[in-house]
Amino acid sequence: MKIYILLITLLLAGNSLVRAQTGFVSGQINSGGKPVPYASISLSKTSFGTQADSSGTFKLSNIVAGKYEIIASSIGFESFTKKIDITETKTLILTIDLKPVNNTLSEVVVTGVSRATELRKSPVAIAVMSKKEMDMNVNNNIVDAVLKGVPGLSAVTTGPNISKPFIRGLGYNRVLTLYNGIRQEGQQWGDEHGIEIDQYGVERAEVVKGPASLIYGSDAVAGVINFIPYIPKGPEGKIKGDITTEYHTNNGMIGASGGLAYNKNGWKSAFRVSGKNATAYKNKIDGRVFGTAFNELNLSAMTGVEKRWGSSYVYATLYNNLQEIPDGSRDSLTRKFTRQVLESGPDNIKNRPLVSQHDLKTYSINPLHQRIQHYRLFTRNRFLLGKADLTALFGFQQSVRREYNHPTMPAQPGLYVQLNTYNYDFKYNFPEWKGLEATLGVNGMYQMNRNLSGTDFPIPDYNLLDIGAFLFLKKSLGKVDISGGMRYDTRSWNWKDQYVQHNPETGFNKLLTKPGSGAVLQFPSYDRNFNGISGSLGATYNISERLLVKANLSRGYRAPNITEIGSNGLDPGAHIVYLGNRDFKPEFSLQTDIGFIGYLKEFDFSVELFNNTIDNYIYQARLVDADGKPVIIVPGNFTYKYQQSKAQLYGAEFSINLHPTGLKWLTFNNSLAFIRGLNRNNALIALEGNSAKYLPFIPPVHGRSEIRASLGKPIGNLTGTYFRAEIDYYGAQNKFYGVDNTETATAGYALFNIGCGTTVNNRNKKTLFQLFLQIDNLFDTAYQSNLNRLKYFEYYAASPNGRSGIYNMGRNGSVKVIIPF
């Protein structure tokens, strides 16, 4: 609540600012003599911007007098730029003509680069997902909505609301997730920890495929996903907003979101509230999967000011998620799900009661669940210093995670941890000198984790200090754009001895910093620094305006995370006992990327090849005893111990999108991603054979084809109407890490999806609402993704129906309505 009181105070203060002398810009956006509706208009290096209406007209008001560069853009058109002068109290009237082209190379990105850069100038593979594309890829969570449109991106899942992103076979703390540039710091070390971001408030997602350690440091060794929230661009002095509603047939998910935005005199404010509620999902093999319902609430707000000196914004978010914990226990004959009603000691998995149909269909969250709360408060500032500029980001995050796994004491959390993180990021962009752009940056974080009144302690109370500095250079030499730089990072971990002792008052364990009677040393003290140098050098050669070649060589660095070095206990939500290794070394990767990209008259294509060798690669492996039997420390839970070896990942991503000029309404999009992960631990391979040859969590070959018909002309009051059909094909994964049955083979499968959408307008061509309809897994195919953790939730060696583990979601119909106002 203090966060929102602060925001209201800032808003009131901002509205009382003394108004500077300002001017206005208005105009018309056309292409070939016809209006271009809903084009984006902005002033370069500022946050001033708006969106044209359905007739292509726009207006920017109350702009501080001065010289600017105006940019107009719309999907399917080349960007338009022009230098303009804003004079006091006068209106500048422009007529802008956009050239049509199926070319996104001129799109500007902010992720993985030192300052806003055209996509074509970055030698690193970057993919962009707009809000419209994410709306069309309707899904239960934001990660799944993005990965459908980005080849090489996949996710480890634990049910429909928990997806952890993987880029080119690397995930967990190797993929850095950002929210508007600030690193997402929740409890991200477990399989079942999702991304704490409101999917309805995201306007754009940018994905960097490959090491981004140069800009972001450790934890970006595989890449970055930056979720960029909506920034107010509405008309001056008017409240603009939207209401979004959504319904899914498979798990009955009901989603709703409402947002407001206000923009006047350079002052911008926005607020959004969103919620999702779902029952257990279903498929034709398992029926409804007990323990997969969820209830999520999100609040977000921003306010700030844009003036001649620069800009300053404050953001705040609140995330609250109640997520059930599946365990997969069943009746051995009927395969119906059963419920744990006793504690782990007296509990008999083979003698649990069946879950009732009511409990499978209810929106109420069952007593065994997780509660994840995430609070975020940060400020982004940009100061114009002549021809140079300084950006500064400060942030505070608090992640509170409770996992309730005691059926006889449902109010007692098993895991109860609180993580506080302070983020900072400074970048100084030097004035351009003879075409050379240079950026000097320092960023990092200070972090504190504390176990509270729980009974299970998988990780210790620790302190972390992270700091890194980098120099980034960029220069264009004719048709060649060169960029790269160097970075140095240091990260320190420390904690004192921590003991576990039985508490006779509660009957459970408690964590102590001093030994007591019968106490066991759970976490021996630890104090260690990790250091690393990372860097990259790459170039883009523009063969022509529509054809280019990219190449990049990068060295990535990642310090081990807390579960890899310090874990020693049960994570109830994952049903895994984790055992870390205190002697681990940091990971270092050397990755080579080559890309060929072309946007031709009838089609566009891209070919991206990569090879990544990693020293000291860390991975999970099932722990077994001397007889080769799985080690069971806590009944009903697996035990994993982290390993380290050399690894190699290589692969390719292809896409070809047909857009024949004779059939402008038709597009045929195709992509294919191939990844191979090899374990280079020769000693282990000699001992275990082919079962140790490959790395865990490597996605199979993934192909996607979509045919889309977009009607260019209005049909009555309907505009932007489209119809689409797609097939998602996943090959069999027979190249997996099979030592001690850590992973098993996965059969291939194909999913068919169809959808359509339109915008409904009134007689005055003003938008009433947007409508999106979709059916995923149209033929109700039974399948298991090889990155689905529920696949391994099985207690029996044999099943009467020949199926083991839990299957992915079956057929799902969805409808989404967005009402702007």
Side-chain angles (χ1 to χ4, degrees):
M1 183 61 69
K2 293 181 179 180
I3 289 175
Y4 296 105
I5 293 175
L6 173 61
L7 285 173
I8 292 171
T9 302
L10 289 171
L11 177 60
L12 294 175
N15 284 333
S16 65
L17 290 176
V18 177
R19 296 183 181 179
Q21 292 299 312
T22 60
F24 308 85
V25 180
S26 65
Q28 174 73 39
I29 310 293
N30 295 328
S31 178
K34 296 181 179 180
V36 178
Y38 310 118
S40 296
I41 301 92
S42 62
L43 299 183
S44 177
K45 297 183 179 180
T46 77
S47 294
F48 284 107
T50 189
Q51 187 178 59
D53 61 20
S54 58
S55 62
T57 61
F58 71 92
K59 185 175 183 180
L60 289 169
S61 304
N62 297 310
I63 305 169
V64 177
K67 296 181 182 295
Y68 297 91
E69 184 177 63
I70 191 168
I71 301 173
S73 62
S74 182
I75 296 175
F77 298 90
E78 288 185 2
S79 294
F80 171 91
T81 61
K82 182 180 181 179
K83 292 183 179 180
I84 60 173
D85 287 333
I86 302 296
T87 55
E88 296 177 3
T89 68
K90 293 185 179 180
T91 299
L92 176 65
I93 301 175
L94 300 173
T95 299
I96 297 173
D97 188 66
L98 297 182
K99 296 180 180 179
V101 61
N102 287 298
N103 187 337
T104 61
L105 291 176
S106 298
E107 192 162 13
V108 175
V109 295
V110 298
T111 308
V113 293
S114 61
R115 63 185 90 185
T117 302
E118 280 190 11
L119 194 59
R120 70 179 309 121
K121 294 181 180 293
S122 173
V124 180
I126 302 178
V128 178
M129 286 286 289
S130 67
K131 186 178 187 304
K132 181 178 180 180
E133 291 174 291
M134 289 185 282
D135 284 332
M136 291 168 60
N137 295 331
V138 180
N139 246 295
N140 279 260
N141 67 76
I142 187 65
V143 172
D144 287 349
V146 172
L147 69 85
K148 289 187 69 175
V150 181
L153 185 64
S154 53
V156 165
T157 62
T158 314
N161 199 40
I162 300 176
S163 294
K164 210 174 193 65
F166 272 51
I167 297 177
R168 293 176 169 175
L170 297 174
Y172 296 115
N173 283 66
R174 298 182 185 91
V175 174
L176 182 61
T177 304
L178 305 175
Y179 178 79
N180 202 15
I182 186 170
R183 56 188 298 147
Q184 170 75 17
E185 287 296 325
Q187 293 285 355
Q188 295 299 320
W189 41 267
D191 288 316
E192 84 298 349
H193 300 169
I195 302 299
E196 294 117 354
I197 291 175
D198 179 9
Q199 70 185 72
Y200 296 112
V202 174
E203 184 178 42
R204 176 184 174 95
E206 297 181 356
V207 181
V208 179
K209 296 189 286 186
S213 299
L214 174 60
I215 302 295
Y216 302 104
S218 181
D219 304 342
V221 71
V224 175
I225 302 178
N226 188 10
F227 294 102
I228 300 172
Y230 171 74
I231 301 297
K233 296 178 182 177
E236 282 278 322
K238 294 183 180 180
I239 294 177
K240 182 179 180 181
D242 67 86
I243 296 174
T244 300
T245 59
E246 186 175 9
Y247 178 74
H248 291 207
T249 60
N250 185 285
N251 59 352
M253 194 198 88
I254 301 171
S257 179
L260 297 173
Y262 185 76
N263 175 22
K264 188 173 184 179
N265 297 329
W267 190 269
K268 301 173 185 287
S269 299
F271 176 80
R272 178 168 295 276
V273 55
S274 304
K276 295 190 297 183
N277 204 357
T279 67
Y281 81 87
K282 60 186 176 182
N283 59 62
K284 66 181 182 182
I285 302 299
D286 306 303
R288 289 196 176 270
V289 178
F290 182 61
T292 58
F294 58 87
N295 188 328
E296 182 180 308
L297 173 67
N298 289 281
L299 298 173
S300 60
M302 64 80 64
T303 188
V305 65
E306 177 94 15
K307 294 294 181 181
R308 176 176 283 181
W309 51 264
S311 61
S312 181
Y313 291 96
V314 177
Y315 298 80
T317 66
L318 179 153
Y319 173 96
N320 185 75
N321 181 25
L322 300 179
Q323 179 77 49
E324 292 185 345
I325 302 176
D327 70 1
S329 66
R330 323 244 193 143
D331 177 76
S332 60
L333 297 179
T334 65
R335 297 289 289 172
K336 292 183 178 180
F337 286 97
T338 60
R339 179 198 298 274
Q340 182 183 355
V341 294
L342 300 174
E343 296 296 330
S344 59
D347 178 44
N348 182 354
I349 294 173
K350 297 180 179 180
N351 192 32
R352 290 179 175 180
L354 296 177
V355 178
S356 69
Q357 285 298 310
H358 173 269
D359 288 342
L360 288 170
K361 295 180 179 180
T362 182
Y363 285 94
S364 299
I365 303 299
N366 74 56
L368 303 186
H369 68 275
Q370 308 174 61
R371 183 181 184 187
I372 304 100
Q373 296 167 287
H374 190 276
Y375 308 93
R376 185 190 291 109
L377 176 65
F378 66 100
T379 176
R380 293 179 59 89
N381 306 276
R382 184 167 181 264
F383 305 100
L384 303 179
L385 308 172
K387 294 184 179 181
D389 66 85
L390 173 70
T391 61
L393 183 151
F394 306 92
F396 170 75
Q397 299 176 67
Q398 183 178 85
S399 175
V400 182
R401 176 175 292 269
R402 302 177 184 89
E403 297 185 357
Y404 297 94
N405 65 325
H406 294 295
T408 61
M409 295 183 64
Q412 172 63 56
L415 178 71
Y416 191 177
V417 289
Q418 177 180 287
L419 181 70
N420 292 332
T421 304
Y422 299 88
N423 302 92
Y424 61 91
D425 189 320
F426 301 92
K427 294 187 183 74
Y428 180 74
N429 293 314
F430 290 89
E432 184 177 325
W433 180 72
K434 294 184 178 181
L436 178 67
E437 297 180 8
T439 300
L440 184 65
V442 178
N443 50 31
M445 62 180 172
Y446 177 68
Q447 195 170 82
M448 299 174 293
N449 183 75
R450 297 296 180 262
N451 285 275
L452 302 180
S453 56
T455 64
D456 301 296
F457 313 102
I459 59 173
D461 295 347
Y462 68 83
N463 297 329
L464 177 152
L465 178 62
D466 183 276
I467 186 169
F470 70 90
L471 176 65
F472 185 90
L473 303 173
K474 180 173 64 174
K475 184 175 177 60
S476 295
L477 300 171
K479 292 186 175 183
V480 180
D481 300 302
I482 303 173
S483 62
M486 297 289 292
R487 179 186 179 99
Y488 178 78
D489 279 283
T490 180
R491 174 172 291 187
S492 65
W493 295 92
N494 70 83
W495 62 81
K496 297 180 179 180
D497 288 342
Q498 293 164 51
Y499 302 82
V500 168
Q501 182 181 33
H502 181 73
N503 185 350
E505 296 180 2
T506 64
F508 299 111
N509 291 330
K510 59 181 178 181
L511 191 68
L512 304 172
T513 55
K514 295 182 179 179
S517 176
V520 176
L521 182 61
Q522 181 87 348
F523 304 109
S525 63
Y526 187 82
D527 191 348
R528 186 175 174 185
N529 292 329
F530 293 93
N531 305 293
I533 296 175
S534 55
S536 70
L537 178 63
T540 298
Y541 176 59
N542 296 271
I543 301 172
S544 69
E545 182 67 24
R546 294 172 174 266
L547 191 65
L548 54 85
V549 179
K550 296 186 176 189
N552 192 69
L553 179 66
S554 54
R555 171 184 165 93
Y557 152 81
R558 184 181 78 94
N561 67 24
I562 184 60
T563 188
E564 293 165 346
I565 58 174
S567 59
N568 183 22
L570 172 67
D571 178 3
H575 293 283
I576 293 175
V577 174
Y578 291 104
L579 301 178
N581 190 322
R582 299 161 61 89
D583 298 323
F584 276 159
K585 300 175 183 178
E587 292 181 349
F588 290 97
S589 69
L590 184 64
Q591 179 161 320
T592 304
D593 290 89
I594 299 175
F596 305 89
I597 302 173
Y599 283 84
L600 306 180
K601 186 176 182 181
E602 301 287 339
F603 67 95
D604 59 76
F605 71 91
S606 68
V607 179
E608 295 175 343
L609 312 173
F610 70 93
N611 182 72
N612 190 7
T613 58
I614 304 177
D615 291 324
N616 310 318
Y617 176 80
I618 300 171
Y619 61 97
Q620 297 178 11
R622 187 89 57 88
L623 190 63
V624 297
D625 59 22
D627 297 325
K629 297 181 179 180
V631 173
I632 302 297
I633 296 177
V634 179
N637 297 272
F638 299 120
T639 302
Y640 283 85
K641 185 175 178 65
Y642 284 92
Q643 314 289 327
Q644 192 167 50
S645 69
K646 190 170 184 177
Q648 179 185 8
L649 296 100
Y650 62 89
E653 294 140 17
F654 308 92
S655 70
I656 181 167
N657 304 315
L658 308 180
H659 38 78
T661 55
L663 300 171
K664 294 183 178 181
W665 52 271
L666 181 68
T667 55
F668 184 36
N669 303 321
N670 303 271
S671 65
L672 182 70
F674 162 80
I675 303 170
R676 184 63 48 81
L678 301 176
N679 190 341
R680 294 305 189 187
N681 187 336
N682 294 327
L684 183 63
I685 294 173
L687 180 65
E688 301 288 350
N690 283 338
S691 62
K693 184 178 179 180
Y694 302 101
L695 298 177
F697 299 121
I698 301 299
V701 172
H702 176 207
R704 182 172 181 263
S705 293
E706 177 206 41
I707 186 167
R708 185 187 305 176
S710 302
L711 306 185
K713 297 182 179 180
I715 303 176
N717 291 333
L718 305 181
T719 58
T721 304
Y722 71 88
F723 300 90
R724 63 196 291 257
E726 66 179 12
I727 177 173
D728 264 332
Y729 169 76
Y730 292 83
Q733 183 56 290
N734 298 313
K735 303 181 186 306
F736 55 90
Y737 184 79
V739 177
D740 307 320
N741 290 319
T742 296
E743 286 189 318
T744 59
T746 307
Y749 55 91
L751 304 178
F752 293 85
N753 313 311
I754 58 173
C756 63
T758 191
T759 299
V760 180
N761 307 295
N762 62 15
R763 294 181 179 178
N764 298 321
K765 298 183 179 180
K766 183 178 180 181
T767 299
L768 295 176
F769 62 89
Q770 291 177 282
L771 176 66
F772 300 89
L773 302 173
Q774 187 166 311
I775 302 177
D776 289 315
N777 195 0
L778 178 64
F779 301 113
D780 203 20
T781 300
Y783 71 99
Q784 288 177 313
S785 165
N786 79 306
L787 296 183
N788 176 16
R789 296 300 297 166
L790 296 181
K791 171 187 173 185
Y792 300 99
F793 282 33
E794 180 60 64
Y795 290 95
Y796 303 106
S799 167
N801 63 5
R803 312 267 193 167
S804 64
I806 297 175
Y807 281 67
N808 287 69
M809 182 180 285
R811 182 188 298 113
N812 182 41
S814 59
V815 56
K816 177 186 284 189
V817 177
I818 302 175
I819 306 172
F821 59 87

